[in-house]
Amino acid sequence: MSDVVEKTLTALPSLLSLDSQPGSAKLSTNSKLGNLIRGITELTSKHEEEKLIQRELLSIKEQVSSPNTTMRQMKELMVRTIYCEMLGYQASFSYIHAIKLAQQGNVLEKRVGYLAVSLFLDESHELLLLLVNTVLKDLQSTNLIEVCMALTVVSQMFPKDMIPAILPLVEEKLSHSKEIIRRKAVLALYKFYLIAPNQVQHIHNKFRKALCDKDPGVMSASLHIYLQLIQENPEGYKDLTVSFVTILKQVVAGKLPMDFNYHCVPAPWLQIHLLRILSLLGKNDQSTSEIMYEILDESLRRAEMNHNITYAILYECVKCIYTIHPKSDLLEKAAKCIGNFVLSSRINLKYLGLKALTYVVQQDPKLVLQHQMTIIECLDHPDLIIKRETLELLFRITNAQNVTVIVEKMLDFLRVSKDDHTTIDLVGKVAELAEKYATDNEWFIETMNTVFSVGGDMMQPDIPNSFLKLLLDGFDSVEEDRKLRLFAVNSYISLLQGEPSRLPQRFLQVISWVLGEYSHLNGDLEPDVVLRLLAKLLDMKSSSSETKSWVLMAMTKLCSGGAALSVAREVSETYGSSMDTMLRQRAQELQHLSQDSQLQTRVLPQSSSQEAVEVDSSLSFLDWFVSEALAAGAAPYKPPHQRQEEMSRSKALSLEPYGLSLPISMSSCSVADRQSPTLLSMSSGLSGDSTELSHKGSSTTLKLDGVKRVWGREGYLAQREPEEEAAQVETPAPLQSPSQQGDKDSSHSQAPTPTQTPESEQEKQQLASSLFVGLASQSSASLMGKSEQTSQRFRRKARSPDKSLSSSEQLTNPLGSPSSGADNLLLDCSISSELVSAPEQTHLQSLDLTAANSACDAPDGDTKGRKTLSRDDSVSAADVTPHEDPDRPKDLRLASYLPAELSGLSGLPHSEITLVCSNQSLDLSACHVQKDDSLEFVVFIKNSSDTSVHQVQVQVSCEELEVSCVCDSPAEELKSHSVTVCQYRLTVKRPSVYFELAGVVHYQLPAGSLQTEQFSHKLPLKSFIRPLAVSTEDYGTMWLAFSHDTKQNLPLLSDEQEPLTATLNVLKKKLQLHVVEIIGKEGIVACCLRPDQPCLLHCREHAGMLAVWLRSPVPDLPDCLLYHCQRALRER
Amino acid sequence: MIKAILIFNNHGKPRLSKFYEHYNEDTEQQIIRETFHLVSKRDENVCNFLEGGMLIGGSDYKLIYRHYATLYFVFCVDSSESELGILDLIQVFVETLDKCFENVCELDLIFHVDKVHHILAEMVMGGMVLETNMNEIITQVDAQNKMEKSETFIFQSTRQDR
């Protein structure tokens, strides 16, 4: 009795303090967790909370590590730790105890232990290995709850390498008698499939069994797997279509137990899953689609209940109907459904309706016309998400006639939106539309101004790049170009006269470039006025040093004579002593050029910015320097990112602080030219395309796009039309003219909003006609793909591959990286190569930087596309060139000692046998034999003395090579004048131009003295090169995946009839490269060191030279291979 | 796939966070903060879907949320999930909590974080929807809770059950 009273008394205070909260009575108030939580709620500042939690964690730490703590207490401690971790305080000391709890506790404690583990650790955490045994034990437990817990934790996170250990046990559970276990096992296997697809390949049959399980729960779990499998390979599962349709039929007809009903709807989630699967199966497949028409119709009909979940099913149905091969009466019903969604007063349904419209607009623009008034209402909807979705829809229907209105709506939205992600996305879309459909110069420039000011510094760097490029390239008419540029200049001048401090950095950079380049177009504008405006930017606190260097470059172009000079002098004096080396250099240049007008006119020919300037983007004029340095033993050039990578890998001194001051901001460097590498290869040595590819290339579909672009016909990216979809489109019913349509619809939409005043209604109709103009007249297929039926104002100049020196391409260089601070002045100012050779060290530095390729995170070598080596190839082209002095003594008879598998009979030629070392007792010779997958290095040891030697041992090593011994010198005793042979297998660890093998031979003379002799042998990289037979398609895929690249111009055998073919043949013969394909003036070539060390070459005939671009997943390989290509062509 | 399930109150205090994809500790906290920031700004009469922020993975990810009294329930999912389906799943989750805690309130979630996690584990497993039937979920959780009430007794009886 007294017990009860006491408990009540202790509970009282908390009841009083918390009584406003229902349910508080049942909380255990004197638990430690309770105390902690109460403590936290009483706190007022984040800082206090931090202190309290740290104290709490300390006390937990003390208790968990005390040996007296029972598992029961441990469980309580874990719950507290979970709470602290949830608040964001790390408690890594407790992880091991969580694992212990899962290992040793009883069922309940174990449950908390597993929970803590799954919340604290991730699949790569090393402690997880300690859990594997526990999981194994629990999977075999007779207690179902333990098995369930083990399966749950396994599906949350499990180390990939340990899957084989538990896989059989999980598999076994697929035939467990309890459905809950079977179901969890299916999901666990699905998880395994996601992380390691190869390991569960053999159980695909069991998945089928799960699909046919008598329990609907297990069956529905297996749909997760099938959804994934079918997404990856729809062809492989067409035979299951009938089964899925039958299942759906049964579900829809209510054949499942009542348990599966949700708000009287039979198994809605299951239906959603099935519909998704069906749409994947029926896509582009008429016969499969026909199987499902009936059930889709049935689903649409049945789903009439007015509940959220039925709408979810309907939405899935509609999407499915529009995805599979079309059937007109179903489409009609689906369209009606979409109408219901869009017109619904429920906002969630409206959102989905808009999404559905966006999805179907490519096939059925008529539908958009029907709902135009609703769409316009959605544009003014208070919910930003609805607005955003509407804009997405409008973006898809934009054409030259409605672009102004749509872009304006988008910009309106941008001005209110605060979300970074949305802003970035939308800004890109506006820029795309503006460029594509611009109606006139003023509008274009003004729109872009807004884009730059709103998008700020968050937007994708290629937007300013492509804008500047557009200005630079110009269009077909010179007069138009001039007008556009002039307008831009005037508009920027007035912006600068306003409040430039508000403009984002990127915009300021664009402005200064344009002013520098084109302000002379405005005759009324004195250079010193522009200079003063620019100087104002320099003085602004908010300007970044990157912007300042753009400004200084612009000033360099402008300072000529008169008042301009004094401004220039002032500025260069201020910045000539800047701490920023980049700025200092710019200031120096400004100073020198402003003083020497002769030099300036030569370097910056003002009027001729349109003329072609020969820029050797591959810097081939430095080839001699590079090859000399390489020959003298210098390490091949490595781009900075690679160097840093290596540094960090070797755990050497951190380069961080230096890395930061590197003037090129590698990551933001992107190339202006978004076309194929074909164009890039000549257009830019600054090429940042690998950056671009790396973020685009993350999905496989995009990679395929890239492939098409490289080797297909030339074409603007967006013009590619999904042909299947176009083919799918039903011929649209004859449309009414937009205005008629508008009238009809307005009367229709007036019904729900009768309070509207006629004026606003009229306004909306006007908006409608301006928004949806041109929609009806276009063929439905062209809408989505935006194929250019309407005239495009800013059509880029046609590029014919032969006009390789046209100004547009040459001048892409200055724009190569407008976003980077180290934007190359040399190129930017259109300087001819004279200045480059001027002995200014700074210039050389910046050159060096330009040669650097931008950082790139492209995934490492994709090995899928590779084919096995062709044996014949490698044999016929085996490298037998001597590389030792010819006057060294040779011993041809040694050849007979070659190991059988390498001797002449095997068909593998060996290189010349050369003497590597000789003394009074031993002669050592060596040769190598090329095999398909390796290089065999053979050492012949000949006893030249008259007495036998003993214990002959040879050791060969090389830092860059992996040396494995095939057969070591077996001789205990080497008799006089006899020969023994050691064979080593060499594979490349790290590419190098030459490999220096260092060898040591130990032997014992009869006198008993131990002798040591050292020798060395040099192998060129080309002995390791093997042809890589790939298809053009695989080549394309691999190309995009490789990260290390280098570019160079090589001499072309121009005296031949077909110089490219002839040159490639020489390379093929001398270096055993595989010529994949030659298309016109381009050729692609592939080779590898080992199958996992491929290197791809992209060769292009260009201005009498062979522009070669090499890529490989292996660092240094492109550089080393390039060296050998150079040698091969020179020695010919 | 469900990427994360978050519950926080009107002031942004996390009440439950479960990530089905690994993020590091700081990112997780940032995601919670950012999600709260996004969700709390929204009025009552707007749609329940949001595009994921930058941290969570951009436009391919959606935040689907419901607001009950003092708590926000947010599911972060990828494009393979049905929006309305998840919305109802949240409803099922909350109804289940309500049944298990008899009139659930924020304090229940605070004091019984572990229980909430156990209930969730019966609904969503490794990011996949495991069970959508409330009664079934409750049966499973009850089977475990029974053990809690009389541990030793259950220990034997569960063995006999099977």
Side-chain angles (χ1 to χ4, degrees), chain B residues 114-147:
Chain B
D114 50 335
K115 261 193 208 158
V116 181
H117 271 293
H118 295 319
I119 294 170
L120 190 60
E122 294 306 319
M123 256 180 85
V124 179
M125 180 172 152
M128 277 91 59
V129 180
L130 174 72
E131 179 60 73
T132 52
N133 182 353
M134 185 169 71
N135 295 330
E136 193 61 35
I137 299 167
I138 292 175
T139 318
Q140 288 298 326
V141 175
D142 274 353
Q144 296 168 13
N145 284 352
K146 243 189 271 162
M147 301 193 302

Side-chain angles (χ1 to χ4, degrees), chain A residues 611-713:
Chain A
E611 276 167 30
V613 179
E614 180 108 23
V615 178
D616 187 350
S617 58
S618 63
L619 307 179
S620 61
F621 52 86
L622 284 174
D623 285 358
W624 62 271
F625 177 77
V626 175
S627 49
E628 252 177 32
L630 279 177
Y637 173 74
K638 284 176 197 151
H641 65 97
Q642 193 183 325
R643 252 176 286 161
Q644 270 183 357
E645 226 170 68
E646 277 168 23
M647 289 300 280
S648 58
R649 226 184 288 140
S650 60
K651 295 247 162 46
L653 280 175
S654 163
L655 272 189
E656 283 290 285
Y658 300 98
L660 286 178
S661 69
L662 268 182
I664 293 191
S665 53
M666 285 302 176
S667 55
S668 63
C669 177
S670 168
V671 88
D673 192 333
R674 281 185 285 176
Q675 317 262 334
S676 71
T678 333
L679 286 171
L680 277 174
S681 61
M682 57 165 187
S683 68
S684 170
L686 276 163
S687 151
D689 69 305
S690 40
T691 339
E692 202 197 4
L693 289 174
S694 66
H695 61 68
K696 279 196 173 170
S698 50
S699 85
T700 36
T701 47
L702 273 175
K703 279 186 188 170
L704 286 176
D705 279 358
V707 176
K708 273 187 194 152
R709 271 187 294 161
V710 182
W711 300 109
R713 62 201 146 81

Side-chain angles (χ1 to χ4, degrees), chain A residues 294-306:
Chain A
E294 191 193 330
I295 184 62
L296 287 175
D297 194 29
E298 176 82 8
S299 294
L300 275 183
R301 211 160 42 79
R302 290 255 182 175
E304 270 166 1
M305 277 256 312
N306 201 14

Side-chain angles (χ1 to χ4, degrees), chain B residues 5 7-9 28 55 63 92 98 104 106 120 123 146:
Chain B
I5 294 173
I7 305 178
F8 38 73
N9 71 2
E28 284 183 6
L55 277 174
L63 300 176
V92 172
D98 200 47
V104 68
E106 191 179 336
L120 190 60
M123 256 180 85
K146 243 189 271 162

Side-chain angles (χ1 to χ4, degrees), chain B residues 18-84:
Chain B
K18 175 83 182 169
F19 288 85
Y20 294 98
E21 195 160 87
H22 174 64
Y23 299 96
N24 69 35
E25 197 99 348
D26 293 337
T27 324
E28 284 183 6
Q29 290 301 316
Q30 236 172 313
I31 289 177
I32 296 176
R33 272 198 302 275
E34 194 183 313
T35 314
F36 170 70
H37 186 69
L38 282 173
V39 168
S40 62
K41 273 192 313 200
R42 298 183 55 80
D43 294 334
E44 282 301 317
N45 56 345
V46 294
C47 69
N48 298 61
F49 316 121
L50 268 173
E51 263 176 34
M54 296 291 269
L55 277 174
I56 305 156
S59 51
D60 196 37
Y61 291 87
K62 280 219 175 57
L63 300 176
I64 297 168
Y65 74 96
R66 269 178 186 269
H67 189 192
Y68 295 90
T70 58
L71 291 176
Y72 284 100
F73 287 71
V74 186
F75 278 44
C76 172
V77 302
D78 68 7
S79 57
S80 72
E81 299 287 344
S82 148
E83 289 93 342
L84 288 177

